[in-house]
Short mmCIF file of all heavy atoms in Angstrom, two decimals:
data_model
loop_
_atom_site.label_atom_id
_atom_site.label_comp_id
_atom_site.label_asym_id
_atom_site.label_seq_id
_atom_site.Cartn_x
_atom_site.Cartn_y
_atom_site.Cartn_z
N ALA A 1119 86.74 114.12 112.22
CA ALA A 1119 85.86 113.27 113.01
C ALA A 1119 86.41 113.01 114.40
O ALA A 1119 85.66 112.89 115.34
CB ALA A 1119 85.60 112.02 112.30
N ARG A 1120 87.68 112.91 114.51
CA ARG A 1120 88.39 112.69 115.82
C ARG A 1120 89.63 113.57 115.84
O ARG A 1120 90.37 113.66 114.86
CB ARG A 1120 88.71 111.23 115.97
CG ARG A 1120 87.56 110.29 115.97
CD ARG A 1120 87.92 108.96 116.63
NE ARG A 1120 89.04 108.24 116.10
CZ ARG A 1120 89.08 107.46 115.02
NH1 ARG A 1120 87.92 107.39 114.30
NH2 ARG A 1120 90.14 106.85 114.61
N ALA A 1121 89.89 114.17 116.93
CA ALA A 1121 91.10 115.01 117.12
C ALA A 1121 92.25 114.27 117.78
O ALA A 1121 93.26 114.95 118.11
CB ALA A 1121 90.72 116.19 117.90
N GLU A 1122 92.13 112.93 117.91
CA GLU A 1122 93.25 112.15 118.45
C GLU A 1122 93.18 110.76 117.95
O GLU A 1122 92.13 110.29 117.45
CB GLU A 1122 93.26 112.26 119.95
CG GLU A 1122 92.13 111.50 120.65
CD GLU A 1122 92.29 111.41 122.10
OE1 GLU A 1122 92.65 112.50 122.74
OE2 GLU A 1122 92.01 110.35 122.79
N ALA A 1123 94.41 110.10 118.02
CA ALA A 1123 94.48 108.70 117.64
C ALA A 1123 95.63 108.10 118.33
O ALA A 1123 96.59 108.75 118.66
CB ALA A 1123 94.62 108.58 116.16
N PRO A 1124 95.59 106.76 118.57
CA PRO A 1124 96.76 106.13 119.24
C PRO A 1124 97.93 105.99 118.24
O PRO A 1124 97.75 105.91 117.01
CB PRO A 1124 96.21 104.77 119.62
CG PRO A 1124 95.05 104.52 118.62
CD PRO A 1124 94.49 105.80 118.33
N ALA A 1125 99.10 105.97 118.76
CA ALA A 1125 100.32 105.87 117.92
C ALA A 1125 100.25 104.54 117.21
O ALA A 1125 99.70 103.54 117.69
CB ALA A 1125 101.57 105.94 118.85
N GLY A 1126 100.73 104.60 115.99
CA GLY A 1126 100.66 103.43 115.06
C GLY A 1126 100.13 103.81 113.74
O GLY A 1126 100.29 104.94 113.34
N GLN A 1127 99.66 102.85 113.00
CA GLN A 1127 99.07 103.24 111.72
C GLN A 1127 97.71 103.79 111.74
O GLN A 1127 96.77 103.21 112.42
CB GLN A 1127 99.12 101.97 110.85
CG GLN A 1127 98.95 102.29 109.34
CD GLN A 1127 99.06 101.03 108.41
OE1 GLN A 1127 98.02 100.64 107.91
NE2 GLN A 1127 100.17 100.51 108.37
N ILE A 1128 97.52 104.88 111.04
CA ILE A 1128 96.12 105.56 111.06
C ILE A 1128 95.76 105.86 109.64
O ILE A 1128 96.53 106.01 108.72
CB ILE A 1128 96.23 106.95 111.74
CG1 ILE A 1128 96.85 106.78 113.14
CG2 ILE A 1128 94.86 107.67 111.84
CD1 ILE A 1128 97.06 108.11 113.83
N GLU A 1129 94.40 105.68 109.35
CA GLU A 1129 93.83 105.98 108.05
C GLU A 1129 93.01 107.23 108.13
O GLU A 1129 92.16 107.36 108.95
CB GLU A 1129 93.03 104.70 107.60
CG GLU A 1129 92.37 104.92 106.26
CD GLU A 1129 91.56 103.73 105.83
OE1 GLU A 1129 91.76 102.60 106.39
OE2 GLU A 1129 90.69 103.91 104.87
N PHE A 1130 93.28 108.12 107.20
CA PHE A 1130 92.52 109.40 107.05
C PHE A 1130 91.85 109.44 105.70
O PHE A 1130 92.38 109.07 104.73
CB PHE A 1130 93.42 110.54 107.25
CG PHE A 1130 94.03 110.69 108.61
CD1 PHE A 1130 95.22 110.20 108.84
CD2 PHE A 1130 93.34 111.29 109.60
CE1 PHE A 1130 95.84 110.22 110.05
CE2 PHE A 1130 93.92 111.41 110.89
CZ PHE A 1130 95.20 110.88 111.09
N THR A 1131 90.58 109.95 105.72
CA THR A 1131 89.91 110.14 104.49
C THR A 1131 89.51 111.53 104.40
O THR A 1131 88.67 112.08 105.17
CB THR A 1131 88.64 109.26 104.39
OG1 THR A 1131 88.97 107.88 104.50
CG2 THR A 1131 87.90 109.45 103.07
N VAL A 1132 90.08 112.33 103.48
CA VAL A 1132 89.88 113.80 103.34
C VAL A 1132 89.00 114.14 102.17
O VAL A 1132 89.34 113.68 101.04
CB VAL A 1132 91.24 114.50 103.22
CG1 VAL A 1132 91.12 116.00 103.21
CG2 VAL A 1132 92.18 114.14 104.36
N SER A 1133 87.92 114.75 102.40
CA SER A 1133 86.95 115.10 101.32
C SER A 1133 86.89 116.61 101.16
O SER A 1133 86.73 117.35 102.20
CB SER A 1133 85.60 114.59 101.59
OG SER A 1133 85.56 113.22 101.70
N ASN A 1134 87.03 117.12 99.97
CA ASN A 1134 86.84 118.53 99.68
C ASN A 1134 85.41 118.83 99.36
O ASN A 1134 84.94 118.50 98.28
CB ASN A 1134 87.82 118.94 98.54
CG ASN A 1134 87.76 120.44 98.28
OD1 ASN A 1134 86.96 121.18 98.88
ND2 ASN A 1134 88.66 120.92 97.41
N THR A 1135 84.78 119.48 100.31
CA THR A 1135 83.36 119.81 100.14
C THR A 1135 83.16 121.27 99.68
O THR A 1135 81.99 121.82 99.65
CB THR A 1135 82.59 119.62 101.46
OG1 THR A 1135 83.12 120.40 102.52
CG2 THR A 1135 82.68 118.16 101.96
N GLY A 1136 84.27 121.99 99.42
CA GLY A 1136 84.16 123.32 99.00
C GLY A 1136 84.25 123.58 97.54
O GLY A 1136 84.09 122.60 96.72
N THR A 1137 84.59 124.78 97.17
CA THR A 1137 84.64 125.20 95.69
C THR A 1137 86.10 125.44 95.28
O THR A 1137 86.30 125.67 94.07
CB THR A 1137 83.85 126.45 95.43
OG1 THR A 1137 84.30 127.52 96.22
CG2 THR A 1137 82.36 126.17 95.80
N LYS A 1138 87.03 125.44 96.19
CA LYS A 1138 88.41 125.67 95.90
C LYS A 1138 89.30 124.47 96.03
O LYS A 1138 88.97 123.63 96.91
CB LYS A 1138 89.00 126.84 96.81
CG LYS A 1138 88.25 128.13 96.82
CD LYS A 1138 88.83 129.06 97.89
CE LYS A 1138 88.15 130.45 97.86
NZ LYS A 1138 88.60 131.34 98.88
N VAL A 1139 90.32 124.32 95.30
CA VAL A 1139 91.31 123.28 95.50
C VAL A 1139 91.84 123.45 96.85
O VAL A 1139 92.20 124.49 97.33
CB VAL A 1139 92.39 123.28 94.46
CG1 VAL A 1139 93.40 122.22 94.73
CG2 VAL A 1139 91.79 123.16 93.07
N ASN A 1140 92.05 122.31 97.59
CA ASN A 1140 92.39 122.36 98.97
C ASN A 1140 93.72 121.58 99.22
O ASN A 1140 94.01 120.71 98.32
CB ASN A 1140 91.35 121.81 99.91
CG ASN A 1140 91.22 122.55 101.20
OD1 ASN A 1140 92.21 122.89 101.88
ND2 ASN A 1140 90.00 122.88 101.55
N GLU A 1141 94.37 121.82 100.29
CA GLU A 1141 95.61 121.09 100.77
C GLU A 1141 95.34 120.80 102.21
O GLU A 1141 94.58 121.38 102.94
CB GLU A 1141 96.81 121.96 100.63
CG GLU A 1141 97.19 122.35 99.19
CD GLU A 1141 98.51 123.15 99.18
OE1 GLU A 1141 98.69 123.99 100.10
OE2 GLU A 1141 99.26 122.93 98.29
N PHE A 1142 96.14 119.77 102.62
CA PHE A 1142 96.12 119.35 104.04
C PHE A 1142 97.49 119.13 104.58
O PHE A 1142 98.26 118.44 103.93
CB PHE A 1142 95.24 118.09 104.12
CG PHE A 1142 95.09 117.59 105.59
CD1 PHE A 1142 94.32 118.25 106.45
CD2 PHE A 1142 95.88 116.51 105.97
CE1 PHE A 1142 94.22 117.78 107.76
CE2 PHE A 1142 95.82 116.10 107.29
CZ PHE A 1142 94.99 116.75 108.17
N TYR A 1143 97.80 119.67 105.75
CA TYR A 1143 99.14 119.60 106.31
C TYR A 1143 99.07 119.07 107.75
O TYR A 1143 98.04 119.34 108.48
CB TYR A 1143 99.78 120.98 106.37
CG TYR A 1143 100.24 121.49 105.05
CD1 TYR A 1143 99.31 122.04 104.14
CD2 TYR A 1143 101.60 121.50 104.71
CE1 TYR A 1143 99.76 122.57 102.96
CE2 TYR A 1143 102.05 122.01 103.47
CZ TYR A 1143 101.11 122.55 102.61
OH TYR A 1143 101.53 123.09 101.44
N VAL A 1144 100.12 118.42 108.19
CA VAL A 1144 100.36 118.07 109.56
C VAL A 1144 101.73 118.70 110.01
O VAL A 1144 102.74 118.50 109.27
CB VAL A 1144 100.44 116.62 109.81
CG1 VAL A 1144 100.86 116.29 111.25
CG2 VAL A 1144 99.05 115.94 109.54
N TYR A 1145 101.71 119.49 111.02
CA TYR A 1145 102.90 120.24 111.43
C TYR A 1145 103.39 119.71 112.80
O TYR A 1145 102.56 119.43 113.72
CB TYR A 1145 102.67 121.68 111.56
CG TYR A 1145 102.37 122.40 110.29
CD1 TYR A 1145 101.08 122.75 109.97
CD2 TYR A 1145 103.41 122.76 109.44
CE1 TYR A 1145 100.77 123.45 108.83
CE2 TYR A 1145 103.09 123.48 108.23
CZ TYR A 1145 101.79 123.80 107.96
OH TYR A 1145 101.52 124.47 106.78
N ALA A 1146 104.68 119.64 113.00
CA ALA A 1146 105.27 119.45 114.32
C ALA A 1146 105.64 120.82 114.85
O ALA A 1146 105.35 121.87 114.25
CB ALA A 1146 106.49 118.58 114.25
N GLU A 1147 106.24 120.86 116.05
CA GLU A 1147 106.55 122.16 116.61
C GLU A 1147 107.46 122.93 115.72
O GLU A 1147 108.39 122.39 115.04
CB GLU A 1147 107.29 121.85 118.00
CG GLU A 1147 107.63 123.13 118.77
CD GLU A 1147 108.29 122.83 120.14
OE1 GLU A 1147 108.48 121.67 120.39
OE2 GLU A 1147 108.63 123.80 120.81
N GLY A 1148 107.19 124.21 115.62
CA GLY A 1148 108.06 125.10 114.82
C GLY A 1148 107.63 125.00 113.33
O GLY A 1148 108.42 125.46 112.49
N ASP A 1149 106.47 124.50 113.08
CA ASP A 1149 105.92 124.52 111.69
C ASP A 1149 106.75 123.57 110.83
O ASP A 1149 106.78 123.70 109.65
CB ASP A 1149 105.82 125.88 111.09
CG ASP A 1149 104.50 126.54 111.31
OD1 ASP A 1149 103.72 125.94 112.11
OD2 ASP A 1149 104.21 127.57 110.75
N ARG A 1150 107.36 122.53 111.48
CA ARG A 1150 108.06 121.60 110.63
C ARG A 1150 107.05 120.55 110.02
O ARG A 1150 106.16 120.04 110.75
CB ARG A 1150 109.00 120.71 111.56
CG ARG A 1150 109.74 119.65 110.74
CD ARG A 1150 111.04 119.35 111.53
NE ARG A 1150 110.74 118.83 112.87
CZ ARG A 1150 110.52 117.51 113.18
NH1 ARG A 1150 110.51 116.62 112.28
NH2 ARG A 1150 110.23 117.22 114.41
N ILE A 1151 107.01 120.50 108.72
CA ILE A 1151 106.04 119.77 108.00
C ILE A 1151 106.32 118.22 108.20
O ILE A 1151 107.32 117.73 107.79
CB ILE A 1151 105.99 120.09 106.51
CG1 ILE A 1151 105.55 121.57 106.27
CG2 ILE A 1151 104.97 119.24 105.82
CD1 ILE A 1151 105.71 122.06 104.88
N MET A 1152 105.32 117.57 108.78
CA MET A 1152 105.40 116.13 108.94
C MET A 1152 104.74 115.42 107.89
O MET A 1152 105.11 114.24 107.47
CB MET A 1152 104.81 115.72 110.33
CG MET A 1152 105.37 116.49 111.49
SD MET A 1152 107.19 116.36 111.62
CE MET A 1152 107.37 114.61 111.94
N GLY A 1153 103.70 116.01 107.30
CA GLY A 1153 102.93 115.38 106.19
C GLY A 1153 102.11 116.34 105.48
O GLY A 1153 101.69 117.36 106.06
N GLU A 1154 101.75 116.14 104.22
CA GLU A 1154 100.98 117.09 103.43
C GLU A 1154 100.39 116.40 102.28
O GLU A 1154 100.96 115.45 101.76
CB GLU A 1154 101.84 118.25 102.99
CG GLU A 1154 103.10 117.93 102.28
CD GLU A 1154 103.89 119.10 101.80
OE1 GLU A 1154 103.24 120.12 101.54
OE2 GLU A 1154 105.15 119.00 101.80
N VAL A 1155 99.29 116.80 101.82
CA VAL A 1155 98.67 116.41 100.61
C VAL A 1155 98.04 117.61 99.91
O VAL A 1155 97.42 118.38 100.54
CB VAL A 1155 97.64 115.27 100.81
CG1 VAL A 1155 96.47 115.80 101.67
CG2 VAL A 1155 97.04 114.79 99.54
N GLU A 1156 98.28 117.71 98.56
CA GLU A 1156 97.76 118.83 97.84
C GLU A 1156 96.89 118.34 96.77
O GLU A 1156 96.62 117.18 96.54
CB GLU A 1156 98.88 119.70 97.30
CG GLU A 1156 99.66 119.03 96.17
CD GLU A 1156 100.59 119.90 95.51
OE1 GLU A 1156 100.88 121.03 96.08
OE2 GLU A 1156 101.14 119.59 94.46
N ASN A 1157 96.42 119.38 96.01
CA ASN A 1157 95.61 119.12 94.75
C ASN A 1157 94.30 118.26 95.07
O ASN A 1157 94.00 117.39 94.30
CB ASN A 1157 96.50 118.40 93.71
CG ASN A 1157 95.96 118.53 92.37
OD1 ASN A 1157 95.18 119.45 91.99
ND2 ASN A 1157 96.25 117.58 91.46
N ILE A 1158 93.68 118.58 96.21
CA ILE A 1158 92.40 117.95 96.44
C ILE A 1158 91.31 118.83 95.81
O ILE A 1158 90.90 119.88 96.37
CB ILE A 1158 92.13 117.80 97.93
CG1 ILE A 1158 93.38 117.06 98.65
CG2 ILE A 1158 90.87 116.96 98.23
CD1 ILE A 1158 93.26 117.00 100.11
N ALA A 1159 90.88 118.43 94.70
CA ALA A 1159 89.97 119.25 93.88
C ALA A 1159 88.55 119.20 94.55
O ALA A 1159 88.22 118.28 95.34
CB ALA A 1159 89.90 118.79 92.50
N PRO A 1160 87.69 120.22 94.32
CA PRO A 1160 86.34 120.16 94.80
C PRO A 1160 85.66 118.85 94.47
O PRO A 1160 85.70 118.47 93.29
CB PRO A 1160 85.69 121.37 94.13
CG PRO A 1160 86.81 122.37 93.95
CD PRO A 1160 87.98 121.45 93.55
N GLY A 1161 84.99 118.23 95.42
CA GLY A 1161 84.36 116.99 95.21
C GLY A 1161 85.18 115.73 95.33
O GLY A 1161 84.68 114.62 95.27
N LEU A 1162 86.55 115.93 95.46
CA LEU A 1162 87.44 114.84 95.47
C LEU A 1162 87.67 114.36 96.92
O LEU A 1162 87.69 115.12 97.87
CB LEU A 1162 88.78 115.20 94.84
CG LEU A 1162 89.83 114.12 94.66
CD1 LEU A 1162 89.36 113.06 93.69
CD2 LEU A 1162 91.20 114.78 94.29
N THR A 1163 87.84 113.05 97.09
CA THR A 1163 88.08 112.42 98.36
C THR A 1163 89.39 111.68 98.21
O THR A 1163 89.61 110.90 97.27
CB THR A 1163 87.01 111.48 98.82
OG1 THR A 1163 85.81 112.17 99.10
CG2 THR A 1163 87.41 110.76 100.15
N ARG A 1164 90.33 111.89 99.23
CA ARG A 1164 91.59 111.19 99.19
C ARG A 1164 91.77 110.40 100.47
O ARG A 1164 91.46 110.89 101.56
CB ARG A 1164 92.82 112.15 99.14
CG ARG A 1164 92.76 112.98 97.78
CD ARG A 1164 93.42 112.35 96.64
NE ARG A 1164 94.88 112.15 96.88
CZ ARG A 1164 95.75 113.10 96.57
NH1 ARG A 1164 95.37 114.24 96.00
NH2 ARG A 1164 97.04 112.88 96.86
#
């Protein structure tokens, strides 16, 4: 819904609207993983 946010605490709501189990990642430069969430089943919201 938004591609930016101010520094501080942020809330994200991720919904899987597809048919496959999904994952979500945040990367810093060099593909360093800053955050990730897996096992978001179809129809599930985290």
Side-chain angles (χ1 to χ4, degrees):
R1120 301 199 305 278
E1122 67 175 43
Q1127 193 177 111
I1128 306 174
E1129 180 179 342
F1130 295 92
T1131 302
V1132 184
S1133 298
N1134 184 351
T1135 60
T1137 62
K1138 301 176 182 178
V1139 176
N1140 219 314
E1141 294 181 326
F1142 179 76
Y1143 288 77
V1144 175
Y1145 295 102
E1147 185 177 359
D1149 271 7
R1150 180 160 56 92
I1151 298 173
M1152 305 306 294
E1154 51 180 328
V1155 60
E1156 70 171 13
N1157 199 26
I1158 309 175
L1162 185 66
T1163 296
R1164 299 275 292 273

